[in-house]
Amino acid sequence: MSNTQEFPPPVKWVDDRLGIAKIGKKNLRKVFPDHWSFMLGEIALYSFIILILTGTFLTFWFKPSMAEVQYNGSYSLLKGLHMSEAYASTLDITFDVRGGLLVRQIHHWAAVLFIAAMMVHLLRMFFTGAFRKPRELNWLIGFGMLFLGIIEGFIGYGLPDDLLSGTGLRITNGMIQASPIVGTYMNFFIFGGEFPGDEFVSRFFIVHVLLIPGIILGLVTAHLFLVVYHKHTQYAGPGRTQKNVVGYPLFPVYTAKAGGFFFVVFGITALMGALMQINPVWLYGPYNPAEVTAGSQPDWYMGWLEGAVRIFPGFESHFWGITLGWNLLIPALIIPPAFVTLVALYPFIEGWISGDKREHHLLDRPRDVPTRTGVGVGFITFYALLWIGGGNDLIATHFGVSLNHVTWFLRFAVILGPILAFWVARRWAISLQRADYARLTHGLETGVIVRSPEGKYTEKHQPISTYEAYSLTARDRVVPHEIGPETDDNGVRAPRRALNKARAALSRFYFADAVQKPTAQELEEAHEHAHDADEIHELTEDTETYREVTSDRS
Amino acid sequence: MSDDKNLPVVKDDGEHHGAVEVAEPIPDPGLEPHEPRITDIDPKAADRVERQVSAMFGLATLLVLGACVAYFAIGRDSILQFGPLSGNANNMVMGLCIGLALFLIGAGAIQWAKKLMVDEEISEDRHAAHSSPEQIAEITEAFKQGTAESGFGRRKMIRNSLIGALGVLGLPAIIFLRDLGPLPGRSLYNTIWAKGIRVVNDVTDRPIKPSDLIVGQLVNAAPANLAPLQEENPTEYQNAKAKAAVIVVRIKPSEIRTKPGRENWGIDGILCYSKICTHVGCPISLYEQTTHHVLCPCHQSTFDLSDSAKVVFGPAARPLPQLPLALDSEGYLVAQSGFTEPVGPSFWERG
């Protein structure tokens, strides 16, 4: 190789100005590991790009104004009606701009997908422990995008100024109004006076098309930069360690795979926009504060908030000339922020409990951290039950049950359900760990039953491959941290005793019941034992199902 | 307690606590050997994949062109019908063409990567996220030098006055937003209802006589002074409507439990309540004649209209405000006065 190699002229022109070889050197062949669950974040990123593209198209025709006009477009059912320019221009996009309805539907589907993908991506991060050091900040950035994405979605949903979204905004207005001291003031500042006023569409519009997308774009950049800097996490496996990352290079494999995946996501949202109706605002009619439709539902990501507000009993306090509406304060202004704060801070909470200060680049299998998995499932259950609460009327009408019963059931279920789900998921994870342990020490159940000369029935076990065995054992031995002696050698009480006790208790709760992987010695003993018995386990005489017997592992 | 003690203890067969790293029960066997794909071995298979991929790209080209043709060729209002399903033809054909084209471009690229590109996994080393000691030393030194050269630490007056100046910059950022809206004042306490205002049907704008209503009937109504607002000031019209909407219901007088002080608020079992839910302000609209219950479709608060609209179920905490009714000289329903309490959802200073 000669040192005087030069870029071909057009590339040279760019390199002379930007030094692209220096930037590209490290990244062109950057390695990314392969796993289906790593695509979830990609879906979120791609739907964001689709949102920007389709959203820009829509702004060419959408008029963010609440000025009243008489509709004269081609949708005959609403002809002559008074409505805001925002709603009228949405009808124009739908009925008079070719491709308008398609793009509007792609935009809405992509928004729904964007938030769903971010949420599932967050769950993947959670259950595999990808949020641990050094990625806590990226967890926060991602969380921030999810939070902003939900607000962005809700505001965008309010822009067409149709009856359904107007009802949603009326509800939001009522919730804000419940805030202590500042409630009415906040409402008057946000809506420019009383609801509905004539300001919110133009204000929400600029927040929706510039402010929030701008912030999200900045956060996406930081998020991706950190992914590149930290390098992607990977699942443990042969040759995959804390110190390396194994996979395919960015160029060409991921350029083709990830680039192709963008087109796949775009293609699928376009097909959804073509074939599946979403938010048919022309059926709802223009916003009218004296009307509402039965079965009103927000977009799916607001459902849990709606559910919290629906199932909370009607408590209100009046004293000293003030009113505190607990029926909104608790389900709309306290529980949701508390819930999301807990989610945002989870990496720091778990880090404090485990006391773990090391970097982690190998992902946990959910079963290997049973308590975290249980907590996650408990959270999902809580969210899901609230979400179901958001459709309590539809459940009542579709299944022919009493609305009051559904609501009362959910009032208890949102508290008991997560506890039960936590416990079940945690025990389930521990059982899976035991199954792994047995697979390692006893091998694979072959289902082959052998009769010995003495008449004993036994099932043959086959040892698993070294690669699989290594994958099953390539994880940390996490034990709860000890609290240490009450006093030191000089009889001085250790500081912050109560806090440390609580921490040790939490740590035991987190890690004490988890099944540890076998030690080398245990593994050897198990294999020897298996060898003695010719990899065969005895069957008790009175058992009829062979399978069950083999699960009796000591 | 030092931080080291808080680190998870690495167990040594469960006997000693300490930092002794236990040997992994199974040593790392290294990457699994690469399994060649059929396309790595059989040139025919590889050629087949090449044809597949280029067919996908070729089809995508045709579909994109198809979408452009559809844009001009299909009328805005032509309809496609598939049994019970129907859709706008222009929209659907363009969407199907573009969607399939995009999907095929993506699928082709992925197929190319999976079947034809080298699929041997490679390994890259990781480095700790933190800086090296040399870098830390270097940057600390540079920072110290910069601080010293600026005198930022020494010249406290400059520092403090700068912090002060930057601090107050936050003020205009808040104050300048003051004109976002008027202050609430008393506007939430009042509606356009007042003494003598007629109750009119909210669709026909006709005033209502008691004889227009039969027992069990519920009518959505508005104050007579609402409709003229629409021409004058559409925004005021919407705002006024959002508070003034009412429901008028006629219930058999024997079934009504009247609250003390409201004995003369109804006319022969005709009662008038605010339509705006006291929970978060949705218009209440579902009436069940036999029970006299109205249900808010937003959050299912249920009110008993025969019992001063008290809450019988759901998240609302207060009954719907009642509008005292009277008859004017021509025998039409009118308001005795405005509402005696603020309508709609609760707020802090409501009392």
Side-chain angles (χ1 to χ4, degrees), chain B residues 193-194 196-201 206-213 219 221-224 246-250 265-272 323-336:
Chain B
W193 284 105
I197 301 277
R198 275 186 179 164
V199 181
V200 299
N201 182 304
R206 288 227 189 91
I208 301 169
K209 270 187 177 158
S211 55
D212 297 339
L213 293 166
V219 169
V246 290
I247 43 181
V248 181
V249 66
R250 184 158 199 172
W265 284 21
I267 311 282
D268 297 338
I270 298 176
L271 302 171
C272 181
L323 187 76
L325 289 181
L327 292 179
D328 66 7
S329 53
E330 292 171 55
Y332 290 108
L333 293 175
V334 293
Q336 275 184 38

Side-chain angles (χ1 to χ4, degrees), chain A residues 30-31 68 82 94-99 101-102 135 167 170-171 174-175 177 180-181 184-185 188-189 192-198 203 229-233 238-249 252-253 256-257 260-261 263-264 266-268 270-271 273-275 287-294 306 309-310 312 314 316 318 321-324 327-328 354-355 357-359 361 392-393 403-404 407-408 467 469-470 473 479 481-483 503 517-521 523, chain B residues 1 3 5-11 13 17 22-33 71-72 74 76 88 90-92 94-96 98-100 102-103 105-107 109-110 112-114 117-130 177-184 187-188 190 202 230-231 234-235 237-239 241-243 245 275-276 278-286 295 297-300 313-318 344-351:
Chain A
K30 194 166 183 65
V31 172
E68 202 183 77
H82 289 265
T94 306
F95 294 106
D96 295 298
V97 176
R98 277 176 286 187
L101 175 62
L102 176 67
R135 295 182 178 80
T167 305
R170 181 71 179 109
I171 294 169
M175 288 177 186
Q177 196 161 301
I181 307 173
T184 49
Y185 291 85
F188 273 61
F189 290 147
E194 284 188 83
F195 185 82
D198 57 359
R203 288 183 183 176
Y229 181 64
H230 290 142
K231 299 200 170 85
H232 208 289
T233 49
R240 290 146 222 266
T241 67
Q242 290 283 6
K243 302 213 182 315
N244 71 3
V245 49
V246 176
Y248 301 113
V253 175
K257 268 187 153 180
F261 192 49
F263 287 98
V264 168
F266 203 167
I268 288 173
L271 290 175
L275 299 173
Y287 182 60
N288 176 344
E291 281 175 11
V292 68
T293 326
E306 170 86 355
V309 171
R310 282 185 183 200
F312 204 84
E316 200 170 88
H318 309 266
I322 59 167
T323 298
L324 278 177
N327 53 352
L328 289 173
S354 69
K357 302 257 187 319
R358 296 167 300 171
E359 284 196 3
H361 302 291
N392 60 354
D393 53 338
L403 173 78
N404 302 19
T407 308
W408 271 107
Y467 293 114
Y470 176 75
T473 56
V479 291
H481 75 252
E482 301 293 330
I483 187 162
R503 187 177 172 189
K517 62 185 173 186
T519 60
Q521 200 189 349
L523 209 54
Chain B
M1 223 181 209
D3 285 337
K5 279 190 183 162
N6 297 336
L7 283 174
V9 184
V10 183
K11 241 186 182 174
D13 286 2
H17 289 282
V22 196
E24 286 298 328
I26 295 164
D28 186 351
L31 285 180
E32 288 180 68
Y71 185 95
F72 295 104
I74 301 177
R76 266 308 294 155
N88 179 287
N90 182 283
N91 185 60
M92 274 174 107
M94 276 161 51
L96 280 171
I98 290 277
L100 281 173
L102 289 166
F103 183 86
I105 293 174
I110 292 170
W112 179 14
K114 286 182 83 126
M117 290 183 187
V118 172
D119 82 329
E120 271 185 75
E121 290 192 299
I122 53 177
S123 173
E124 197 175 51
D125 285 343
R126 286 181 192 277
H127 311 284
H130 59 76
L177 290 176
R178 162 64 189 85
D179 279 343
L180 274 176
L183 295 183
S187 48
L188 289 179
N190 306 317
D202 82 339
Q230 184 161 24
E231 290 301 313
T235 309
Y237 169 75
Q238 289 282 67
N239 292 353
K241 196 177 190 179
K243 287 189 299 183
K275 195 184 176 182
I276 308 303
T278 56
H279 180 222
V280 279
C282 285
I284 289 167
S285 53
L286 301 174
L295 178 103
C298 289
H299 304 100
Q300 290 80 43
F313 188 74
R318 282 182 294 104
S346 297
F347 50 95
W348 168 264
E349 57 270 43
R350 187 178 183 279

Side-chain angles (χ1 to χ4, degrees), chain B residues 143-214:
Chain B
F143 182 75
K144 275 187 186 151
Q145 191 183 352
T147 322
E149 286 175 5
S150 72
F152 188 76
R154 242 173 333 115
R155 303 201 183 273
K156 295 231 161 60
M157 202 168 17
I158 292 187
R159 190 190 66 186
N160 294 345
S161 53
L162 176 64
I163 291 172
L166 292 177
V168 293
L169 266 184
L171 273 179
I174 297 166
I175 289 172
F176 285 15
L177 290 176
R178 162 64 189 85
D179 279 343
L180 274 176
L183 295 183
R186 298 291 295 173
S187 48
L188 289 179
Y189 295 80
N190 306 317
T191 65
I192 58 170
W193 284 105
K195 186 176 159 77
I197 301 277
R198 275 186 179 164
V199 181
V200 299
N201 182 304
D202 82 339
V203 180
T204 60
D205 284 337
R206 288 227 189 91
I208 301 169
K209 270 187 177 158
S211 55
D212 297 339
L213 293 166
I214 56 165

Side-chain angles (χ1 to χ4, degrees), chain A residues 138-438:
Chain A
N138 228 12
W139 169 274
L140 282 182
I141 292 173
F143 172 82
M145 287 191 283
L146 174 58
F147 187 77
L148 286 172
I150 289 173
I151 295 175
E152 174 76 346
F154 183 68
I155 289 181
Y157 164 86
L159 288 179
D161 200 25
D162 56 283
L163 184 58
L164 184 63
S165 73
T167 305
L169 286 172
R170 181 71 179 109
I171 294 169
T172 313
N173 181 276
M175 288 177 186
I176 296 172
Q177 196 161 301
S179 326
I181 307 173
V182 295
T184 49
Y185 291 85
M186 273 165 56
N187 258 349
F188 273 61
F189 290 147
I190 293 171
F191 290 91
E194 284 188 83
F195 185 82
D198 57 359
E199 302 273 13
F200 77 78
V201 168
S202 49
R203 288 183 183 176
F204 285 12
F205 180 71
I206 203 64
V207 174
H208 180 77
V209 303
L210 180 73
L211 188 60
I212 295 181
I215 300 173
I216 292 181
L217 200 60
L219 290 175
V220 167
T221 314
H223 202 67
L224 293 178
F225 172 80
L226 281 177
V227 170
V228 169
Y229 181 64
H230 290 142
K231 299 200 170 85
H232 208 289
T233 49
Q234 60 189 353
Y235 288 98
R240 290 146 222 266
T241 67
Q242 290 283 6
K243 302 213 182 315
N244 71 3
V245 49
V246 176
Y248 301 113
L250 178 62
F251 184 77
V253 175
Y254 277 104
T255 318
K257 268 187 153 180
F261 192 49
F262 166 73
F263 287 98
V264 168
V265 173
F266 203 167
I268 288 173
T269 44
L271 290 175
M272 288 166 86
L275 299 173
M276 294 153 75
Q277 185 179 75
I278 190 165
N279 201 26
V281 288
W282 61 93
L283 299 180
Y284 307 146
Y287 182 60
N288 176 344
E291 281 175 11
V292 68
T293 326
S296 291
Q297 290 288 316
D299 267 0
W300 78 270
Y301 46 85
M302 298 307 283
W304 71 293
L305 192 62
E306 170 86 355
V309 171
R310 282 185 183 200
I311 66 175
F312 204 84
F315 299 137
E316 200 170 88
S317 305
H318 309 266
F319 53 90
W320 305 330
I322 59 167
T323 298
L324 278 177
W326 302 110
N327 53 352
L328 289 173
L329 269 176
I330 294 176
L333 302 172
I334 294 175
I335 290 177
F339 179 78
V340 300
T341 309
L342 213 56
V343 173
L345 297 183
Y346 185 80
F348 304 96
I349 297 169
E350 193 190 298
W352 180 74
I353 292 172
S354 69
D356 192 345
K357 302 257 187 319
R358 296 167 300 171
E359 284 196 3
H360 291 277
H361 302 291
L362 286 182
L363 296 168
D364 289 324
R365 292 165 83 210
R367 68 183 62 174
D368 287 334
V369 194
T371 305
R372 180 205 291 151
T373 302
V375 168
V377 173
F379 265 47
I380 293 176
T381 309
F382 178 70
Y383 183 94
L385 285 166
L386 288 182
W387 193 71
I388 290 171
N392 60 354
D393 53 338
L394 296 181
I395 288 171
T397 52
H398 280 70
F399 295 101
V401 285
S402 151
L403 173 78
N404 302 19
H405 292 166
V406 174
T407 308
W408 271 107
F409 171 77
L410 287 169
R411 282 174 181 173
F412 288 99
V414 286
I415 298 163
L416 299 177
I419 298 171
L420 184 70
F422 163 78
W423 185 80
V424 169
R426 185 168 180 269
R427 293 316 309 182
W428 195 329
I430 291 172
S431 301
L432 286 170
Q433 282 193 307
R434 289 193 180 135
D436 279 354
Y437 191 98

